[in-house]
Amino acid sequence: MSITSPLSICPISSTSRKLPSSGYFFSPPISRFRSSCITIPSTSLHLSSLSRQRGKRGTVCCSSMPLEQISSPQLQCSLLYSRAYWVTRSLIAWNIDIADGSCYLYASRTAGLVVTEDGIQGHEVKIKLEVENSGLPSNVVEKFPHIRHNRVFRVPTSVDVKSLVKCQLAVASFHSDGQCSNATGLQLPGVIDDLFAYGGPLGAVFTKEAVSLYLWAPTAQAVSAIIYGDSSGGVPLESVQLEEVDGVWSAHGPRNWEGCYYVYEVSVYHPSTLRIETCMANDPYARGLSSDGKRTLLVNLDCDALKPDGWDALADEKPKLSSFSDISIYELHIRDFSASDQTVHPDFHGGYLAFTLQDSAGVLHLKKLAYAGLTHVHLLPTFQFAGVDDEKKWKHVDTDMLATLPPDSDQQQARVTEIQDDDGYNWGYNPVLWGVPKGSYASNPNGSCRTVEFRKMVQALNRIGLRVILDVVYNHLHGSGPLDDYSVLDKVVPGYYLRRNSDGCIENSTCINNTASEHFMVERLILDDLLCWAVDYKVDGFRFDLMGHIMKSTMVKAKNALQSLSKEKNGVDGSTIYIYGEGWDFGEVAKNGRGINASQFNLCGIGIGSFNDRIRDAVLGGSPFGHPLQQGFVTGLSLQPNSHDHGDKTSMDHMLAVSQDYIQVGMAANLRDFVLTNHEGVEVKGSEVLTHDQLPVAYALCPIETINYVSAHDNETLFDIVSMKTPVEISVDERCRINHLATSIVALSQGIPFFHSGDELLRSKSLDRDSYNSGDWFNRLDFSYNTNNWGVGLPPKEKNEKNWPLIKPRLADPSFKPQKRHILAAVENFSNMLRIREEYVSIILVHHQSLGSL
């Protein structure tokens, strides 16, 4: 769903977890208003400035008319868009037909361009462009396939392009009589990559004698580093002007800068405002931050003082991993793990150090799972994200009072949502800086504490037999524009890091501010960040959020870069680092719309895992986007029908039979060439079993490319789905057995089994389908096994209200709530499945080794 209004320039998605509650994003009320993919509500105070620019209040003069037919009033606001693409040093692409007319490029270093009927005024440079009839080169089409049919114009070789990209730029077309027919701004990532792709040092570099700063900002006109002695407030120690060479700005300071803070002051043209802006920005390569996230800490990650005892030798202590096929994954949120654990000291609740307490209920539970065969813990976002104050000035609900309310009351959710943006909870899919541990999980968010404690967490988990996977969110950023406190990359090189549509609006299909890994320095930042986490924090794997929005080539480079790391050179064994992600294919990248993307079908054969939604939907029924009562293989389809209309008995039997085919393929790791006998008695390959939209069910070439699962942090927990879809009259004992059946299918399948934390505890979120901001109350994990958190009130209204009529009677019925004996049995059953899987994998490994010795 997208949110729009009558004055919408570009819609923005409201997809679950990452959007602010308002749903609107604003640029400042300036005389030259430019929308970077924003939606303007009709009551917006910005309308007064818009009306000054656009004439009649409440009207938008920019239209969707064909470009060659824009009228004079529309010409005046045509620079609000960037519909032309400067793709190489010498080529500009623009979807326009100039017939026997002409086309010119304009530049203004002071951002003074204005469109009139006579053309563009306020320029310092005007360059005639020549039509290039041979079209775009193949390498440009490969990188920007969505503009393959655009008209191409050639820039004269005499032009100083490196200087021009620092200016406000526009192109205009003219009829043969000299009348201006069209004008627009330009998108610059192509020419920037052509001229400024860079492989040298970035961020803060420490030597024995000095601290050097390097910032890639080729469109900036000036850059200064403001150095502070403290994390906030105070007078700057100094302001240092950086010098530029080929788009890279640098400065060298004394060694005693270490431990200080800095912020960049960047003077740069910003297409969202049509102005030269002075932006205050963190370093995109920051490795530390102040507690408010507004200053970058000068921290040397190689400093011995930041390493726990034994840190450099951790690679030799890592749990053994003979093959990626041995992996089993447990998805866990850092705060969920200990926020409600009464065996954890309050100072450690919800933080990194809770994992270092050897005798807490949570750690003892993880030890039990590791002993049974679990290999990896996947941590939800741990980088610096928006939505939770690092300084812990949080509001709290009265849990004692909430516990007295009826299980189907709406008062619990009302109290939780009152403070949900001021408490300590959020899943964390609101990226601000990818390369810094989140401060709210540290005991002190200032200084280097977050670095030390993160390392202690990784070390502690490794020492109890569990490798660590990080959830990385490279597909979007939380902030953009020159004024947003959470904007970093878009302040440093505006318009480069974020993917834009044909109008120049930021694409928002991921939910907000899509990034563009097809751009060279975006890809480089992603790769450098991964290497930082792998080498400096010794993590063991990465789960890519919305991986399908990242290019396949980027993922292949990431895999190769990580697996080339060695203990001898880097202190880690890269051959054991596993990567996987969400290979969904949608939005502007669908069907390779922006290049070959990392979707399920495109990834086969390269050893990167993707989530198998086919087995999830077949086991449980329907999909996360369908009717909540749609049943599947384990939830009673045909055999124990609920009140939902699934059709007649013949239809239900057919649906069940098709589901069994999906599950057979999934249990064989979703392999394309796996041969099965389908429900019609015909031998077919996995790739010949088709989904309802006629796509192959199977897409993998080897088992490690398939992540089998039935639940994850998104959507309802497994026990909640089972409780919703099964008939209301069955017993809680039956529901617990169904929960076990579902996890057993995953555990005993080929491929990589993936479990949501609490699957083994019958975990409930009181039927909340999207608990990203539902606080500790709805997300509680109880490792004492006393409760599974069922019936703690109606789930938050925002995402669940339409299902309240179905939810309320279930929560109110005491027979739905499991007892401690059910939870203990579920833990034991789950552990047994892990043991069986581990023993089976070991037998297969020995068998393969014996065959290899023959």
Side-chain angles (χ1 to χ4, degrees):
M1 183 182 73
S2 61
I3 303 172
T4 59
S5 78
L7 296 178
S8 172
I9 293 177
C10 294
I12 54 176
S13 167
S14 62
T15 301
S16 87
R17 57 199 185 226
K18 301 143 188 162
L19 278 179
S21 57
S22 67
Y24 298 110
F25 299 83
F26 303 101
S27 291
I30 55 177
S31 60
R32 283 197 179 118
F33 179 81
R34 162 74 162 90
S35 165
S36 282
C37 203
I38 63 171
T39 303
I40 309 158
S42 57
T43 57
S44 171
L45 296 176
H46 295 64
L47 283 175
S48 59
S49 61
L50 284 172
S51 63
R52 289 194 297 271
Q53 173 70 15
R54 303 178 180 180
K56 183 179 177 181
R57 182 179 178 88
T59 63
V60 179
C61 60
C62 305
S63 76
S64 58
M65 293 178 66
L67 300 181
E68 61 271 15
Q69 300 178 20
I70 294 181
S71 63
S72 295
Q74 290 157 345
L75 269 176
Q76 294 173 16
C77 66
S78 58
L79 297 189
L80 298 174
Y81 295 114
S82 296
R83 288 168 167 157
Y85 302 79
W86 199 336
V87 292
T88 70
R89 185 240 167 267
S90 57
L91 299 178
I92 290 174
W94 190 11
N95 190 24
I96 190 171
D97 182 6
I98 63 169
D100 57 351
S102 56
C103 186
Y104 289 85
L105 170 67
Y106 299 85
S108 170
R109 192 172 177 86
T110 60
L113 299 184
V114 177
V115 182
T116 70
E117 292 186 12
D118 297 325
I120 294 181
Q121 306 297 323
H123 56 273
E124 293 110 39
V125 177
K126 177 181 179 181
I127 302 162
K128 186 174 183 180
L129 303 176
E130 300 298 329
V131 174
E132 175 60 59
N133 291 317
S134 59
L136 290 170
S138 59
N139 65 314
V140 173
V141 172
E142 181 181 0
K143 185 170 183 173
F144 303 116
H146 58 297
I147 61 170
R148 66 174 67 240
H149 300 302
N150 281 16
R151 178 63 62 88
V152 183
F153 300 88
R154 182 165 291 277
V155 181
T157 57
S158 59
V159 172
D160 182 3
V161 178
K162 288 187 175 182
S163 296
L164 287 190
V165 298
K166 298 178 180 298
C167 303
Q168 181 188 21
L169 298 169
V171 288
S173 63
F174 295 84
H175 295 302
S176 57
D177 62 3
Q179 182 180 5
C180 183
S181 58
N182 210 329
T184 189
L186 291 96
Q187 299 186 35
L188 302 181
V191 68
I192 288 175
D193 281 352
D194 194 25
L195 295 178
F196 299 104
Y198 171 73
L202 289 171
V205 177
F206 296 82
T207 63
K208 289 183 179 180
E209 298 80 20
V211 177
S212 300
L213 300 177
Y214 297 91
L215 180 71
W216 185 77
T219 62
Q221 296 184 1
V223 177
S224 297
I226 303 173
I227 312 296
Y228 293 90
D230 297 309
S231 59
S232 63
V235 177
L237 300 177
E238 56 184 312
S239 179
V240 180
Q241 181 70 40
L242 277 68
E243 296 182 356
E244 183 194 11
V245 176
D246 290 334
V248 178
W249 299 77
S250 63
H252 307 283
R255 195 62 174 76
N256 62 11
W257 272 5
E258 183 176 358
C260 294
Y261 294 84
Y262 68 105
V263 63
Y264 284 124
E265 183 180 86
V266 183
S267 177
V268 64
Y269 172 73
H270 209 292
S272 71
T273 62
L274 305 185
R275 289 171 50 166
I276 306 299
E277 299 285 358
T278 299
C279 300
M280 309 304 291
N282 277 305
D283 192 330
Y285 276 73
R287 297 296 177 242
L289 286 171
S290 59
S291 60
D292 61 5
K294 293 182 180 178
R295 293 178 184 173
T296 301
L297 174 67
L298 282 159
V299 57
N300 179 9
L301 296 183
D302 199 39
C303 175
D304 288 340
L306 305 186
K307 299 176 181 179
D309 290 341
W311 178 251
D312 286 335
L314 185 61
D316 295 324
E317 295 185 58
K318 293 276 184 183
K320 182 180 178 182
L321 184 67
S322 300
S323 166
F324 287 151
S325 296
D326 296 349
I327 291 174
S328 52
I329 300 171
Y330 186 79
E331 182 194 44
L332 181 63
H333 185 272
I334 285 181
R335 186 163 179 83
D336 288 354
F337 176 66
S338 61
S340 303
D341 190 343
Q342 297 307 305
T343 66
V344 172
H345 191 282
D347 290 346
F348 294 170
H349 276 167
Y352 301 126
L353 292 181
F355 291 90
T356 68
L357 305 176
Q358 292 301 301
D359 296 321
S360 72
V363 170
L364 290 174
H365 182 75
L366 291 182
K367 287 180 179 179
K368 181 184 300 184
L369 298 184
Y371 181 76
L374 187 72
T375 66
H376 287 64
V377 168
H378 156 180
L379 298 175
L380 266 65
T382 57
F383 50 75
Q384 186 66 17
F385 59 80
V388 175
D389 181 7
D390 286 351
E391 295 180 319
K392 299 182 174 63
K393 299 174 182 178
W394 302 331
K395 295 180 180 178
H396 303 272
V397 294
D398 184 344
T399 55
D400 291 338
M401 185 276 290
L402 296 185
T404 67
L405 297 171
D408 62 335
S409 169
D410 65 355
Q411 290 305 299
Q412 295 96 326
Q413 65 86 32
R415 299 291 183 270
V416 168
T417 55
E418 279 177 2
I419 65 164
Q420 67 180 7
D421 295 327
D422 299 304
D423 65 0
Y425 197 90
N426 196 288
W427 280 349
Y429 293 88
N430 314 310
V432 178
L433 280 163
W434 292 324
V436 183
K438 176 61 176 169
S440 65
Y441 296 141
S443 56
N444 180 0
N446 284 310
S448 57
C449 187
R450 61 177 86 189
T451 295
V452 176
E453 293 183 2
F454 192 101
R455 287 172 165 174
K456 288 182 176 180
M457 174 186 68
V458 172
Q459 186 180 56
L461 284 166
N462 284 174
R463 286 177 171 174
I464 66 170
L466 293 169
R467 289 174 173 257
V468 178
I469 293 170
L470 298 191
D471 199 324
V472 289
V473 186
Y474 297 125
N475 62 81
H476 73 275
L477 291 163
H478 189 66
S480 64
L483 298 181
D484 189 333
D485 283 344
Y486 296 121
S487 175
V488 177
L489 300 181
D490 199 44
K491 290 179 178 178
V492 175
V493 192
Y496 178 81
Y497 287 95
L498 304 179
R499 188 178 291 136
R500 294 195 280 172
N501 66 16
S502 59
D503 284 332
C505 294
I506 297 171
E507 293 280 11
N508 288 310
S509 55
T510 63
C511 73
I512 184 173
N513 295 327
N514 296 8
T515 54
S517 67
E518 60 270 26
H519 302 163
F520 183 89
M521 295 301 286
V522 180
E523 179 180 82
R524 185 193 158 177
L525 179 57
I526 291 171
L527 298 179
D528 288 346
D529 190 71
L530 290 167
L531 291 173
C532 174
W533 288 110
V535 174
D536 294 315
Y537 292 97
K538 302 187 188 300
V539 302
D540 306 290
F542 298 93
R543 176 265 190 191
F544 285 74
D545 183 66
L546 297 185
M547 180 174 64
H549 270 67
I550 299 171
M551 293 299 108
K552 175 182 176 180
S553 58
T554 303
M555 294 301 302
V556 171
K557 290 175 186 176
K559 175 177 177 283
N560 293 339
L562 291 168
Q563 295 194 355
S564 69
L565 299 173
S566 67
K567 286 197 286 186
E568 294 74 22
K569 183 178 180 181
N570 311 105
V572 296
D573 180 2
S575 68
T576 63
I577 295 176
Y578 180 64
I579 61 176
Y580 62 100
E582 295 176 304
W584 320 136
D585 192 37
F586 69 97
E588 76 281 0
V589 301
K591 299 179 180 178
N592 302 319
R594 292 300 182 96
I596 300 175
N597 63 322
S599 64
Q600 288 171 330
F601 290 102
N602 287 340
L603 284 177
C604 64
I606 62 174
I608 293 175
S610 64
F611 283 94
N612 179 12
D613 52 335
R614 280 80 154 153
I615 196 170
R616 177 200 65 190
D617 294 346
V619 168
L620 300 177
S623 79
F625 314 103
H627 195 284
L629 296 184
Q630 175 68 53
Q631 292 179 295
F633 178 74
V634 304
T635 54
L637 178 61
S638 185
L639 303 177
Q640 285 185 309
N642 57 24
S643 59
H644 181 62
D645 182 7
H646 293 84
D648 60 22
K649 177 64 173 171
T650 300
S651 298
M652 287 190 288
D653 288 345
H654 176 73
M655 292 166 60
L656 180 59
V658 170
S659 296
Q660 290 171 329
D661 288 349
Y662 287 17
I663 293 169
Q664 279 194 75
V665 175
M667 293 191 74
N670 231 41
L671 296 175
R672 296 192 319 188
D673 296 329
F674 169 71
V675 178
L676 70 150
T677 301
N678 70 8
H679 67 279
E680 295 175 335
V682 178
E683 282 196 353
V684 294
K685 291 182 178 181
S687 59
E688 295 171 333
V689 179
L690 302 180
T691 66
H692 68 279
D693 49 2
Q694 301 305 297
L695 293 174
V697 167
Y699 53 79
L701 286 182
C702 62
I704 65 170
E705 293 175 352
T706 293
I707 305 293
N708 280 322
Y709 76 115
V710 289
S711 70
H713 67 276
D714 281 318
N715 312 309
E716 296 90 344
T717 68
L718 175 57
F719 183 80
D720 283 349
I721 292 174
V722 168
S723 298
M724 177 67 85
K725 292 178 180 291
T726 51
V728 294
E729 61 271 12
I730 72 170
S731 68
V732 68
D733 293 331
E734 291 178 274
R735 291 194 182 92
C736 293
R737 287 196 293 271
I738 291 169
N739 191 103
H740 176 51
L741 174 59
T743 56
S744 299
I745 290 172
V746 172
L748 300 180
S749 296
Q750 272 195 298
I752 308 297
F754 176 99
F755 306 100
H756 179 220
S757 54
D759 280 353
E760 78 287 9
L761 301 171
L762 309 175
R763 182 184 186 179
S764 172
K765 296 181 182 178
S766 213
L767 291 166
D768 190 348
R769 67 170 283 102
D770 189 2
S771 67
Y772 80 104
N773 202 18
S774 298
D776 297 327
W777 180 255
F778 287 99
N779 286 287
R780 181 172 52 179
L781 272 171
D782 182 5
F783 292 117
S784 72
Y785 310 140
N786 286 313
T787 176
N788 75 332
N789 211 43
W790 173 270
V792 296
L794 286 169
K797 181 177 181 179
E798 179 189 6
K799 302 290 184 178
N800 300 281
E801 185 181 21
K802 69 177 182 179
N803 290 329
W804 277 3
L806 294 173
I807 294 172
K808 188 174 177 64
R810 288 167 169 80
L811 295 180
D813 187 341
S815 70
F816 275 73
K817 185 176 179 65
Q819 303 303 308
K820 185 170 184 175
R821 63 181 175 84
H822 294 113
I823 298 170
L824 290 171
V827 173
E828 184 62 25
N829 288 336
F830 184 81
S831 299
N832 286 337
M833 289 301 105
L834 290 178
R835 291 187 189 97
I836 292 170
R837 180 182 180 86
E838 183 186 39
E839 291 173 6
Y840 172 79
V841 169
S842 298
I843 292 170
I844 294 298
L845 179 62
V846 170
H847 178 64
H848 285 173
Q849 289 173 340
S850 64
L851 289 177
S853 66
L854 294 178

